[in-house]
Amino acid sequence: MVRRNSNMQNRMREHVRRLGGNCRICGEPIDYTIPYFLPGTRKPNPEAFVADHIIPIDKGGRHDTSNAAPAHWRCNSKKRARLVAPIIKRSGTLN
């Protein structure tokens, strides 16, 4: 498992926030104002945005802004380390 630099993670999240746009996995809009954690917990909010690694790190992808795209936390967690994620809403294959 690759150890991730939290400063780089913060830069990636800010880069993705500036890019804006819809979730690269499901295609639905992302509300970039939703906090990452559910209020009063340390559990991620499924609707929060994350910086998705386009090419997963364990498949040879880099942990930098050139390999980052916006995604919902829920979509990214279902995608896991796949190179290509089928569209969740249409195919249902990640459910």
Side-chain angles (χ1 to χ4, degrees), residues 9-77:
Q9 190 69 20
N10 291 339
R11 279 185 288 194
M12 286 176 62
R13 285 182 51 83
E14 189 54 38
H15 170 75
V16 166
R17 185 188 311 272
R18 280 193 308 267
L19 284 177
N22 294 340
C23 174
R24 76 174 286 277
I25 299 170
C26 73
E28 291 183 8
I30 296 174
D31 181 351
Y32 290 92
T33 63
I34 295 175
Y36 182 77
F37 292 112
L38 291 168
T41 71
R42 295 294 292 168
K43 293 181 180 182
N45 185 329
E47 299 303 314
F49 87 94
V50 295
D52 173 43
H53 290 97
I54 299 166
I55 300 172
I57 292 173
D58 73 348
K59 302 278 193 263
R62 297 176 49 117
H63 185 60
D64 62 22
T65 57
S66 68
N67 189 35
H72 294 108
W73 182 91
R74 64 179 156 79
C75 299
N76 195 40
S77 70

